[in-house]
């Protein structure tokens, strides 16, 4: 009987041991799952204070312009659990570049370069530990020019019209200016008062001007006549056209299979102009006819050579892709050839069109970060300009450049971008997203035409009576960059 009772006890102990082992296994498995798959969510949870205390517990690296102006820096918070607070100098002016860092999220360069700015990057962390053991972020020096950025933003602001402006060094791809209007003050997001922060987010998200939208990178517009650069490049590349070729430019062109027409502006009076003259005065029917003759595949190949339909262009802030449509009928192909139908381009892409032509047909990869520098002054990362696309052969780029210079001469559509003593190459446009909507005003340009130093893209949204201001914005930006 005693043996039977002992056997039952042993069996019970085995059951308890087995149950304990299963529970321990489940606990270890749960911990493993949380650490492997749930740590990111836990760290991102706004109720978790530990990541916030770490983020704001040491100085973050500065963001500087190319000229050395600190436009984002850290200062002691002056009390509370968080030791350092972000400060933005000339916040509205540079917001499209810096973005902001708040308790819950980051945008712009603050997000794209977070690892080096915060000190979490492996190279930054190792050097900090070797130096003095204190965690400290690295400084990020941008390609942005103080003078060019000021000209871009203030010129946009003076119009009172939503829009964007971008300037690029065509030889390197360095972005000299990147401005979006309306803008916002990133300092409004640096508060540690959660209720105040929530109110700031709510207010800015509901403002009709959409100040939080970075129009330069994240809104794509119908490119209108600026796309005629692409259509002209395709025509020249086909071997069937040269700048002196005569083209058909009737006052109105029936769109195949529809009852609709493409019409020319009054400035295009010659029904049989040269390709160069049609480009200068922007004859829609001429380029729609060329689009029909070339076909959508040739147009698409040329558009993609300029960077349309490319995914994930990071500068390092990721830009919205610019699009050239697929599977079009002939009427849609004619419209796409003049920058309508479903063509879409960001202001960055509008600047890239001119940058490619200016650099003998080679489009350099656009970039915003010139170098990353540790607090002791040592550089751990420096930009290396790299080709991004070969848009056209050098000989065709010369033809396109010569045609673009006629646009800023008397009789051209872009005389507002002309600069005394400097030959400016340009293409202007009025475009609309849908029939009946208000037009947008666009300019792509570069200068000096014979030795390019800057390429620009400007977009004004629904400017109405201020449409003519787009070309002077391009001129002011070019003048600032050349100065």
């Amino acid at each position: 009987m005693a043996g039977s009772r002992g056997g039952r006890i042993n069996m019970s102990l085995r059951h308890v041991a087995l149950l304990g082992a299963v529970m321990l296994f489940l606990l270890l498995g749960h911990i493993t799952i949380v650490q492997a798959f749930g740590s990111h969510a836990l760290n991102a949870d706004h109720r978790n204070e530990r990541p916030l205390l770490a983020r704001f517990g040491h100085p973050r690296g500065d963001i500087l312009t190319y000229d050395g102006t600190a436009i984002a820096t850290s200062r002691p918070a002056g009390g509370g659990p968080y030791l350092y607070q972000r400060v933005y100098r000339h916040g509205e002016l540079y917001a499209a570049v810096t973005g902001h860092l708040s308790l819950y999220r980051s945008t712009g360069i603050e997000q794209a370069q977070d690892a080096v700015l915060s000190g979490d990057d492996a190279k930054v962390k190792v050097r900090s530990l070797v130096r003095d053991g204190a965690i400290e972020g690295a400084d990020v020096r941008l390609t942005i020019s103080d003078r060019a950025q000021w000209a871009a933003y203030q010129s946009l602001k003076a119009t009172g019209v939503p829009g964007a402006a971008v300037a690029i060094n065509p030889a390197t791809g360095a972005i000299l200016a990147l401005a979006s209007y309306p803008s916002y003050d990133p300092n409004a997001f640096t508060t540690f008062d959660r209720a105040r922060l929530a109110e700031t987010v709510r207010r800015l998200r509901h403002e009709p001007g959409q100040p939080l939208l970075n129009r330069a990178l994240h809104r794509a517009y119908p490119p209108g006549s600026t796309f005629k650069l692409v259509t002209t490049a395709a025509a020249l590349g086909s071997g069937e056209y040269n700048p002196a070729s005569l083209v058909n430019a009737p006052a109105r062109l029936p769109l195949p299979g529809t009852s609709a027409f493409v019409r020319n502006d009054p400035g295009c009076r010659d029904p049989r102009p040269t390709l160069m003259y049609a480009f200068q005065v922007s004859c829609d029917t001429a380029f729609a006819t060329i689009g029909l003759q070339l076909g959508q595949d040739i147009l698409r190949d040329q558009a993609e050579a300029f960077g349309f339909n490319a995914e994930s262009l990071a500068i390092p802030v990721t830009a919205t892709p610019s699009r050239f449509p697929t599977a079009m009928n002939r009427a849609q192909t004619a419209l796409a050839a003049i920058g309508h139908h479903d063509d879409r381009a960001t202001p960055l892409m509008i600047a890239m069109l001119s940058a490619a032509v200016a650099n003998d047909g080679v489009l350099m990869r656009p970039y915003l970060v010139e170098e990353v520098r540790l607090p002791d002054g040592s550089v751990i990362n420096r930009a290396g300009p790299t080709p991004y696309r070969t848009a056209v052969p050098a000989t065709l780029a010369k033809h396109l450049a010569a045609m673009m210079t006629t646009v800023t001469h008397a009789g051209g559509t872009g005389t507002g971008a002309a600069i005394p003593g400097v030959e400016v190459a340009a293409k202007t446009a009025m475009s609309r997203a849908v029939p009946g909507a208000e037009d947008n005003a666009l300019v792509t340009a570069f200068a000096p035409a014979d030795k390019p130093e800057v390429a620009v893209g400007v977009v004004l949204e629904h400017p109405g009576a201020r449409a003519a201001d787009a070309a002077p914005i391009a001129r002011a930006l070019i003048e600032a960059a050349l100065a």
Side-chain angles (χ1 to χ4, degrees):
M1 185 171 182
S4 174
R5 186 164 53 248
R8 286 197 298 272
I9 292 172
N10 288 337
M11 184 176 295
S12 297
L13 289 174
R14 282 197 298 271
H15 287 163
V16 171
L18 180 61
L19 180 61
V22 170
M23 292 177 67
L24 179 62
F25 176 78
L26 291 174
L27 179 61
L28 291 174
H30 180 69
I31 292 173
T32 301
I33 291 171
V34 169
Q35 290 180 334
F37 304 106
S39 59
H40 179 75
L42 289 173
N43 286 334
D45 193 320
H46 65 83
R47 294 168 297 179
N48 185 358
E49 285 287 312
R50 291 180 63 186
L52 297 178
L53 291 171
R55 177 179 287 273
F56 298 104
H58 62 270
R60 190 173 174 86
D62 292 347
I63 301 175
L64 305 101
T65 65
Y66 188 83
D67 307 281
T69 301
I71 55 177
T73 189
S74 295
R75 72 178 179 193
Y82 308 117
L83 302 184
Y84 289 90
Q85 185 176 29
R86 209 61 167 151
V87 179
Y88 298 93
R89 182 183 181 190
H90 303 306
E92 289 188 6
L93 177 63
Y94 293 101
V97 179
T98 62
H100 63 264
L101 175 73
S102 74
L103 277 172
Y104 304 134
R105 71 189 300 256
S106 56
T107 63
I109 287 293
E110 291 280 26
Q111 180 187 55
Q113 295 288 284
D114 180 68
V116 293
L117 288 167
S118 66
D120 288 340
D121 177 82
K123 287 190 289 186
V124 177
K125 189 175 290 186
V126 167
R127 296 288 285 271
S128 296
L129 292 173
V130 170
R131 189 173 64 252
D132 55 18
I135 300 175
E136 203 167 354
D139 296 339
V140 172
R141 181 170 171 241
L142 305 176
T143 57
I144 295 293
S145 155
D146 288 343
R147 187 188 298 269
Q149 183 72 12
W150 181 268
Y153 182 72
Q154 294 300 333
S155 297
L156 288 168
K157 187 176 181 179
T159 69
V161 174
V166 179
I168 300 174
N169 180 335
T172 64
I175 297 174
L176 308 177
L178 193 146
S180 178
Y181 178 82
S183 185
Y184 69 99
D185 184 0
N187 291 297
F189 287 87
T190 64
T191 178
F192 296 131
D193 183 328
R194 285 171 167 78
R196 184 178 174 187
L197 177 59
E199 173 58 24
T200 295
V201 172
R202 187 203 64 78
R203 174 176 55 82
L204 289 175
R205 282 181 176 173
H206 287 85
E207 282 195 14
Q210 296 179 276
L212 296 178
L213 173 63
N214 187 337
R215 289 172 164 84
L217 299 179
H218 300 147
R219 174 160 284 181
Y221 304 84
S225 290
T226 61
F227 191 82
K228 289 173 185 173
L229 267 174
V230 178
T231 302
T232 303
L236 296 174
S238 72
E240 299 181 30
Y241 296 87
N242 63 59
S245 296
L246 297 177
V247 295
N248 292 320
R252 66 178 195 167
L253 175 72
L255 290 173
T258 76
S259 59
F261 294 85
V262 172
R263 291 178 172 81
N264 281 332
D265 289 333
C268 185
R269 298 187 181 91
D270 189 346
R272 187 80 170 150
T274 64
L275 179 59
M276 180 172 282
Y277 184 75
F279 188 92
Q280 180 185 16
V281 298
S282 207
C283 298
D284 279 349
T285 61
F287 290 94
T289 300
I290 291 171
L292 289 172
Q293 189 271 322
L294 295 176
Q296 61 174 299
D297 291 340
I298 291 177
L299 288 175
R300 187 177 304 107
D301 287 347
Q302 185 61 73
E304 291 177 354
F306 274 96
F308 284 81
N309 295 339
E311 298 292 343
S312 302
L313 175 60
I315 62 171
V317 183
T318 302
T320 296
S322 296
R323 298 294 187 192
F324 185 81
T326 59
M328 297 180 289
N329 60 35
R330 284 178 54 76
Q332 292 167 339
T333 299
L335 292 172
I338 56 174
H340 295 284
H341 182 46
D342 287 338
D343 297 13
R344 294 293 183 272
T346 61
L348 173 64
M349 184 73 238
I350 299 299
M352 288 164 60
L353 292 174
S354 279
V357 175
N359 196 44
D360 291 332
V362 178
L363 177 61
M364 303 299 287
R365 180 179 289 275
Y367 66 96
L368 264 173
V369 176
E370 184 65 30
E371 64 183 21
V372 176
R373 188 181 294 269
L374 295 175
D376 64 6
S378 57
V379 175
I380 61 170
N381 189 22
R382 180 173 282 120
T386 57
Y388 179 57
R389 293 280 194 281
T390 298
V392 292
T395 53
L396 295 191
K398 296 297 185 187
H399 288 315
L400 288 170
M403 295 170 75
M404 291 176 71
T405 60
T406 67
V407 173
T408 59
H409 293 175
T413 60
T415 54
I419 300 173
V422 178
E423 186 74 275
V424 178
K427 193 76 188 84
T428 63
M430 296 295 293
S431 71
R432 63 187 63 177
V434 294
E438 287 187 67
D439 287 328
N440 300 313
L442 305 92
V443 179
T444 183
F446 69 89
D450 58 341
K451 195 175 181 181
E453 295 180 33
V454 58
V456 304
V458 176
V459 178
L460 292 179
E461 288 183 13
H462 318 314
R466 305 300 299 264
D469 290 345
I473 291 173
R475 181 183 66 223
L477 186 46
I478 290 171
E479 287 177 326
L482 295 181

